[in-house]
Amino acid sequence: MGSVRVIRGSEISDVRSAVSTGRWTRKVIDVDDRLAINIARNEPKAISGWHHHGDSVGCVYVLRGQVRIEWGPGGRDIAKLSTGDFYVLDPRTIHRESNPGPDDHVLIAFAMGTGRKFIEADGPAPDGGSTREAGALRVARGGDLAAGPETHGMARDVTEVSESVSIGRTRNAPRTISGWHHHGDHTTCVYDIRGRTRIEWGPGGRERAEVEAGDFYIIYPNTIHREGNPGTDDQMIAGFFIGRGTSVVNVDGPEGG
């Protein structure tokens, strides 16, 4: 039947550990042996040291402010992103990030893979070295997302970033609920940006949780579930679908159990 894991924003201070490099500070929450959540809150002109995320794919949503990323041969590839944008890092992509804006920024990141999730590095080789060392970074602008797979009661904007990662943003009106669906072989990592979200899953759909802005939830592969907005205000969530194959499969509902 699959499962859903909820991580409350209010609980993060009790389970997190800080990882810093240069003037860059991260809060890292290990969800399980393959998935970690990173939250970076940094003041203007803060800059990280060179690093990579080992054998994990790194998926980042710019919640607030601006970020500048450098990577590639000699660190000469550069991207600048702002609120609502996304970027995805291939495993072992050596890079560094900074805050070029006038205000603090907040980045929400998921790292999925085996082994260590944060590894300091001297910097990328001038010629890029091997493909594995050079890695790749892909940017998706929030304004460029297109209407995604349909599920009754959900308004998704989705784009494929690579063969194994898609990104999505969903907006739902108050007092609505989606149809039952699952995400195939994908692990779906979700951050609640605004409003409240109710998730139902499990035998007969009897398991449920409510999250609010600042909370996270993880939907594991093939978990039949539905999501709704029980609040009185519009809701918005952002998520990453990490896996291969079809990312949205609509179904009649879970078995009764």
Side-chain angles (χ1 to χ4, degrees), residues 29-87:
I29 306 101
D30 292 320
V31 178
D32 55 38
D33 60 357
R34 288 184 55 83
L35 179 65
I37 294 171
N38 298 264
I39 304 173
R41 294 182 174 90
N42 288 293
E43 63 186 17
K45 301 191 184 304
I47 185 168
S48 76
W50 293 101
H51 63 283
H52 62 82
H53 301 297
D55 291 327
S56 295
V57 60
C59 303
V60 187
Y61 174 70
V62 184
L63 178 65
R64 185 172 66 242
Q66 301 177 34
V67 62
R68 182 179 190 265
I69 314 108
E70 302 166 70
W71 79 101
R76 292 187 294 273
D77 290 321
I78 296 172
K80 295 180 180 179
L81 298 90
S82 57
T83 302
D85 291 341
F86 302 77
Y87 59 100

Coordinates of all heavy atoms in Angstrom, one line a residue, residues 29-87:
I29 N 18.2 17.4 7.7 CA 17.4 16.5 8.3 C 17.4 15.2 7.6 O 17.0 15.1 6.4 CB 15.9 17.0 8.4 CG1 15.9 18.4 9.0 CG2 15.0 16.0 9.1 CD1 15.7 19.5 8.0
D30 N 17.9 14.1 8.2 CA 17.9 12.8 7.6 C 16.5 12.2 7.7 O 16.0 11.9 8.8 CB 18.9 11.9 8.2 CG 20.3 12.3 7.9 OD1 20.6 12.8 6.7 OD2 21.2 12.3 8.8
V31 N 15.8 12.0 6.6 CA 14.5 11.4 6.6 C 14.6 9.8 6.7 O 13.8 9.2 7.4 CB 13.7 11.8 5.3 CG1 12.3 11.1 5.3 CG2 13.6 13.3 5.2
D32 N 15.4 9.2 5.9 CA 15.7 7.8 5.9 C 17.1 7.6 5.4 O 17.9 8.5 5.3 CB 14.6 7.0 5.2 CG 14.5 7.4 3.7 OD1 15.5 7.8 3.1 OD2 13.4 7.4 3.2
D33 N 17.5 6.3 5.1 CA 18.9 6.1 4.7 C 19.2 6.5 3.3 O 20.3 6.4 2.9 CB 19.2 4.6 4.9 CG 18.3 3.7 4.1 OD1 17.4 4.1 3.4 OD2 18.6 2.4 4.1
R34 N 18.2 7.0 2.6 CA 18.4 7.5 1.2 C 18.1 8.9 1.0 O 18.4 9.5 -0.1 CB 17.7 6.6 0.2 CG 18.2 5.2 0.0 CD 17.5 4.4 -1.1 NE 17.4 5.2 -2.3 CZ 18.4 5.1 -3.2 NH1 19.5 4.4 -3.0 NH2 18.3 5.8 -4.4
L35 N 17.4 9.5 1.9 CA 16.8 10.9 1.6 C 17.1 11.8 2.8 O 16.9 11.5 4.0 CB 15.3 10.8 1.4 CG 14.6 12.1 1.2 CD1 15.0 12.7 -0.1 CD2 13.0 11.8 1.2
A36 N 17.6 13.0 2.4 CA 17.8 14.1 3.4 C 17.2 15.4 2.9 O 17.1 15.6 1.7 CB 19.3 14.3 3.6
I37 N 16.7 16.2 3.8 CA 16.2 17.5 3.5 C 17.2 18.5 4.0 O 17.7 18.4 5.1 CB 14.8 17.7 4.2 CG1 13.8 16.8 3.7 CG2 14.4 19.2 4.1 CD1 12.5 16.8 4.4
N38 N 17.5 19.5 3.2 CA 18.4 20.6 3.5 C 17.6 21.9 3.5 O 16.9 22.2 2.5 CB 19.5 20.7 2.5 CG 20.4 19.5 2.5 OD1 21.4 19.4 3.2 ND2 20.0 18.4 1.8
I39 N 17.8 22.7 4.5 CA 17.2 24.1 4.5 C 18.4 25.1 4.6 O 19.2 25.0 5.6 CB 16.2 24.3 5.6 CG1 15.1 23.3 5.6 CG2 15.7 25.7 5.6 CD1 14.2 23.3 6.8
A40 N 18.6 26.0 3.6 CA 19.6 27.0 3.7 C 19.0 28.3 3.9 O 18.2 28.7 3.0 CB 20.5 26.9 2.4
R41 N 19.4 29.0 4.9 CA 18.9 30.4 5.2 C 20.2 31.2 5.3 O 21.0 31.0 6.2 CB 18.1 30.5 6.4 CG 16.7 29.8 6.4 CD 16.0 30.0 7.7 NE 14.6 29.4 7.6 CZ 14.3 28.2 8.0 NH1 15.3 27.4 8.5 NH2 13.1 27.7 7.9
N42 N 20.3 32.2 4.4 CA 21.6 32.9 4.3 C 21.4 34.4 4.1 O 20.5 34.8 3.3 CB 22.5 32.3 3.3 CG 23.1 31.0 3.7 OD1 23.9 30.9 4.6 ND2 22.6 29.9 3.0
E43 N 22.2 35.2 4.6 CA 22.2 36.6 4.5 C 22.8 37.1 3.2 O 23.5 36.3 2.5 CB 22.9 37.3 5.7 CG 24.4 37.0 5.7 CD 25.0 37.5 7.0 OE1 24.3 37.9 7.9 OE2 26.3 37.6 7.0
P44 N 22.6 38.3 2.7 CA 23.2 38.8 1.5 C 24.8 38.6 1.5 O 25.4 38.8 2.6 CB 22.9 40.2 1.5 CG 21.6 40.3 2.2 CD 21.7 39.3 3.3
K45 N 25.3 38.2 0.4 CA 26.8 38.0 0.2 C 27.3 36.8 0.8 O 28.5 36.5 0.7 CB 27.6 39.2 0.6 CG 27.2 40.5 -0.1 CD 28.1 41.6 0.1 CE 27.7 42.9 -0.5 NZ 27.4 42.8 -2.0
A46 N 26.5 35.9 1.5 CA 26.9 34.7 1.9 C 27.3 33.8 0.8 O 26.7 33.8 -0.3 CB 25.8 34.0 2.8
I47 N 28.3 33.0 0.9 CA 28.8 32.1 -0.1 C 29.3 30.8 0.4 O 29.9 30.7 1.5 CB 29.9 32.7 -1.0 CG1 30.3 31.9 -2.1 CG2 31.2 33.1 -0.1 CD1 31.2 32.6 -3.1
S48 N 29.0 29.7 -0.2 CA 29.4 28.4 0.2 C 30.8 28.1 -0.3 O 31.3 28.8 -1.2 CB 28.4 27.3 -0.3 OG 28.7 27.0 -1.7
G49 N 31.4 27.1 0.3 CA 32.6 26.5 -0.3 C 32.2 25.6 -1.4 O 31.1 25.2 -1.6
W50 N 33.2 25.1 -2.2 CA 32.9 24.1 -3.3 C 32.6 22.8 -2.6 O 33.2 22.4 -1.6 CB 34.2 24.0 -4.2 CG 34.5 25.2 -5.0 CD1 35.5 26.1 -4.7 CD2 33.8 25.6 -6.2 NE1 35.5 27.1 -5.7 CE2 34.5 26.8 -6.6 CE3 32.8 25.1 -6.9 CZ2 34.1 27.4 -7.8 CZ3 32.4 25.7 -8.1 CH2 33.1 26.9 -8.5
H51 N 31.6 22.1 -3.1 CA 31.1 20.9 -2.6 C 30.3 20.1 -3.6 O 30.0 20.6 -4.7 CB 30.3 21.1 -1.3 CG 29.0 21.9 -1.6 ND1 29.0 23.3 -1.8 CD2 27.7 21.5 -1.7 CE1 27.8 23.6 -2.0 NE2 27.0 22.6 -2.0
H52 N 30.0 18.9 -3.3 CA 29.0 18.1 -4.1 C 28.2 17.2 -3.1 O 28.5 17.2 -1.9 CB 29.7 17.3 -5.2 CG 30.7 16.2 -4.7 ND1 30.3 15.0 -4.2 CD2 32.1 16.3 -4.5 CE1 31.4 14.3 -3.9 NE2 32.4 15.0 -4.0
H53 N 27.3 16.5 -3.7 CA 26.4 15.7 -2.8 C 26.5 14.2 -3.0 O 25.6 13.5 -2.9 CB 24.9 16.2 -3.1 CG 24.7 17.6 -2.8 ND1 24.9 18.2 -1.5 CD2 24.4 18.7 -3.6 CE1 24.6 19.5 -1.6 NE2 24.4 19.8 -2.8
G54 N 27.8 13.8 -3.3 CA 28.1 12.4 -3.4 C 27.3 11.7 -4.5 O 27.1 12.3 -5.6
D55 N 26.7 10.6 -4.2 CA 26.0 9.8 -5.2 C 24.5 10.2 -5.2 O 23.7 9.5 -5.8 CB 26.1 8.3 -4.9 CG 27.6 7.8 -5.2 OD1 28.2 8.4 -6.1 OD2 28.0 6.9 -4.5
S56 N 24.2 11.3 -4.5 CA 22.8 11.7 -4.5 C 22.5 12.8 -5.6 O 23.3 13.5 -5.9 CB 22.5 12.3 -3.1 OG 22.6 11.4 -2.1
V57 N 21.2 12.7 -6.0 CA 20.7 13.8 -6.9 C 20.2 14.9 -5.9 O 19.6 14.6 -4.9 CB 19.6 13.3 -7.8 CG1 18.4 12.8 -7.0 CG2 19.2 14.5 -8.7
G58 N 20.6 16.2 -6.2 CA 20.2 17.3 -5.4 C 19.1 18.1 -6.1 O 19.2 18.5 -7.2
C59 N 18.0 18.3 -5.4 CA 16.8 19.0 -5.9 C 16.5 20.2 -5.1 O 16.2 20.0 -3.9 CB 15.6 18.0 -6.0 SG 15.9 16.5 -6.9
V60 N 16.5 21.4 -5.6 CA 16.4 22.6 -4.9 C 15.3 23.5 -5.4 O 15.1 23.7 -6.6 CB 17.7 23.4 -4.9 CG1 17.7 24.6 -3.9 CG2 18.9 22.5 -4.6
Y61 N 14.5 24.0 -4.4 CA 13.4 25.0 -4.7 C 13.8 26.3 -4.0 O 14.2 26.3 -2.8 CB 12.1 24.5 -4.2 CG 11.0 25.6 -4.3 CD1 10.5 25.9 -5.6 CD2 10.4 26.2 -3.2 CE1 9.5 26.8 -5.7 CE2 9.4 27.1 -3.3 CZ 9.0 27.4 -4.6 OH 8.0 28.4 -4.7
V62 N 13.8 27.4 -4.7 CA 14.1 28.7 -4.2 C 12.8 29.3 -3.5 O 11.9 29.8 -4.2 CB 14.7 29.7 -5.2 CG1 15.1 31.0 -4.5 CG2 15.9 29.1 -5.9
L63 N 12.7 29.2 -2.2 CA 11.5 29.6 -1.5 C 11.5 31.1 -1.4 O 10.4 31.7 -1.6 CB 11.5 29.0 -0.1 CG 10.3 29.4 0.8 CD1 9.0 28.9 0.2 CD2 10.5 28.9 2.2
R64 N 12.6 31.7 -1.2 CA 12.6 33.2 -1.1 C 14.0 33.8 -1.4 O 15.0 33.2 -1.1 CB 12.3 33.6 0.4 CG 12.2 35.1 0.6 CD 11.6 35.4 2.0 NE 12.5 35.0 3.1 CZ 12.3 34.2 4.0 NH1 11.1 33.5 4.0 NH2 13.1 33.9 5.0
G65 N 14.0 34.9 -2.1 CA 15.3 35.6 -2.4 C 15.9 35.1 -3.7 O 15.3 34.6 -4.6
Q66 N 17.2 35.3 -3.8 CA 18.0 35.0 -4.9 C 19.2 34.0 -4.6 O 19.7 34.0 -3.5 CB 18.6 36.3 -5.5 CG 17.6 37.3 -6.0 CD 18.2 38.6 -6.5 OE1 19.3 38.5 -7.1 NE2 17.6 39.7 -6.2
V67 N 19.6 33.3 -5.6 CA 20.8 32.4 -5.4 C 21.6 32.4 -6.7 O 21.0 32.5 -7.8 CB 20.3 31.0 -5.0 CG1 19.5 30.3 -6.1 CG2 21.6 30.1 -4.7
R68 N 22.9 32.3 -6.6 CA 23.8 32.2 -7.7 C 24.6 30.9 -7.6 O 25.1 30.6 -6.5 CB 24.8 33.4 -7.7 CG 25.8 33.5 -8.9 CD 26.6 34.7 -8.7 NE 27.5 35.0 -9.9 CZ 28.7 34.6 -10.0 NH1 29.3 33.9 -9.1 NH2 29.4 34.9 -11.1
I69 N 24.6 30.1 -8.7 CA 25.3 28.8 -8.6 C 26.4 28.8 -9.6 O 26.2 29.3 -10.8 CB 24.3 27.7 -8.9 CG1 23.0 27.8 -8.1 CG2 25.0 26.3 -8.6 CD1 21.9 28.2 -9.0
E70 N 27.6 28.3 -9.3 CA 28.7 28.1 -10.2 C 29.1 26.7 -10.2 O 29.1 26.0 -9.2 CB 29.9 28.9 -9.6 CG 29.6 30.4 -9.5 CD 30.7 31.1 -8.7 OE1 31.9 31.2 -9.2 OE2 30.5 31.5 -7.5
W71 N 29.3 26.2 -11.4 CA 29.7 24.8 -11.6 C 30.4 24.6 -12.9 O 30.7 25.6 -13.6 CB 28.5 23.9 -11.5 CG 27.6 23.8 -12.7 CD1 27.6 22.8 -13.7 CD2 26.7 24.8 -13.2 NE1 26.7 23.1 -14.7 CE2 26.1 24.3 -14.4 CE3 26.2 26.0 -12.7 CZ2 25.2 25.1 -15.1 CZ3 25.3 26.7 -13.4 CH2 24.8 26.2 -14.6
G72 N 30.7 23.4 -13.3 CA 31.3 23.1 -14.6 C 32.8 23.3 -14.7 O 33.4 23.6 -13.6
P73 N 33.4 23.2 -15.8 CA 34.9 23.3 -15.9 C 35.4 24.6 -15.4 O 34.9 25.7 -15.8 CB 35.1 23.2 -17.5 CG 34.0 22.4 -18.0 CD 32.8 22.8 -17.1
G74 N 36.2 24.6 -14.4 CA 36.7 25.8 -13.8 C 35.7 26.6 -13.1 O 36.0 27.8 -12.7
G75 N 34.5 26.1 -12.9 CA 33.4 26.8 -12.2 C 32.9 28.0 -13.1 O 32.3 28.9 -12.6
R76 N 33.1 27.8 -14.4 CA 32.7 28.9 -15.3 C 31.2 29.0 -15.7 O 30.8 29.9 -16.3 CB 33.6 28.9 -16.5 CG 35.1 29.3 -16.2 CD 35.9 29.4 -17.5 NE 36.0 28.1 -18.2 CZ 36.9 27.2 -18.0 NH1 37.8 27.4 -17.1 NH2 37.0 26.1 -18.7
D77 N 30.5 27.9 -15.4 CA 29.1 27.9 -15.7 C 28.4 28.6 -14.5 O 28.6 28.2 -13.4 CB 28.5 26.5 -15.9 CG 29.0 25.8 -17.2 OD1 29.1 26.5 -18.2 OD2 29.4 24.6 -17.1
I78 N 27.5 29.5 -14.8 CA 26.8 30.3 -13.8 C 25.3 30.4 -14.1 O 24.9 30.5 -15.3 CB 27.4 31.7 -13.7 CG1 28.9 31.6 -13.3 CG2 26.6 32.6 -12.8 CD1 29.6 33.0 -13.4
A79 N 24.5 30.2 -13.1 CA 23.1 30.5 -13.2 C 22.6 31.3 -12.0 O 23.1 31.2 -10.9 CB 22.3 29.2 -13.2
K80 N 21.7 32.2 -12.3 CA 21.1 33.1 -11.2 C 19.6 32.8 -11.2 O 18.9 32.8 -12.2 CB 21.4 34.5 -11.5 CG 22.8 34.9 -11.4 CD 23.1 36.4 -11.7 CE 24.5 36.8 -11.6 NZ 24.8 38.2 -11.9
L81 N 19.1 32.5 -10.0 CA 17.7 32.1 -9.8 C 17.1 33.0 -8.7 O 17.8 33.6 -7.9 CB 17.6 30.7 -9.4 CG 18.1 29.6 -10.5 CD1 19.5 29.3 -10.2 CD2 17.2 28.4 -10.4
S82 N 15.7 33.0 -8.7 CA 15.0 33.8 -7.7 C 13.8 33.1 -7.3 O 13.5 31.9 -7.7 CB 14.6 35.2 -8.3 OG 13.9 35.0 -9.5
T83 N 13.0 33.7 -6.4 CA 11.9 33.0 -5.8 C 11.0 32.3 -6.8 O 10.6 32.9 -7.8 CB 11.0 34.1 -5.0 OG1 11.8 34.8 -4.1 CG2 9.8 33.5 -4.4
G84 N 10.7 31.0 -6.5 CA 9.9 30.2 -7.3 C 10.6 29.4 -8.4 O 9.9 28.6 -9.0
D85 N 11.9 29.6 -8.5 CA 12.7 28.8 -9.4 C 13.2 27.5 -8.8 O 13.2 27.3 -7.6 CB 13.9 29.6 -10.0 CG 13.5 30.7 -10.8 OD1 12.4 30.7 -11.4 OD2 14.3 31.6 -11.0
F86 N 13.6 26.5 -9.6 CA 14.1 25.2 -9.2 C 15.4 24.9 -9.9 O 15.7 25.4 -11.0 CB 13.1 24.1 -9.7 CG 11.7 24.2 -9.2 CD1 10.8 25.1 -9.7 CD2 11.2 23.3 -8.2 CE1 9.5 25.1 -9.3 CE2 9.9 23.4 -7.7 CZ 9.0 24.3 -8.3
Y87 N 16.2 24.1 -9.2 CA 17.4 23.5 -9.9 C 17.7 22.2 -9.4 O 17.4 21.8 -8.3 CB 18.6 24.5 -9.9 CG 19.2 24.8 -8.5 CD1 20.3 24.2 -8.0 CD2 18.7 25.9 -7.8 CE1 20.9 24.5 -6.8 CE2 19.2 26.3 -6.6 CZ 20.3 25.6 -6.1 OH 20.9 26.0 -4.9

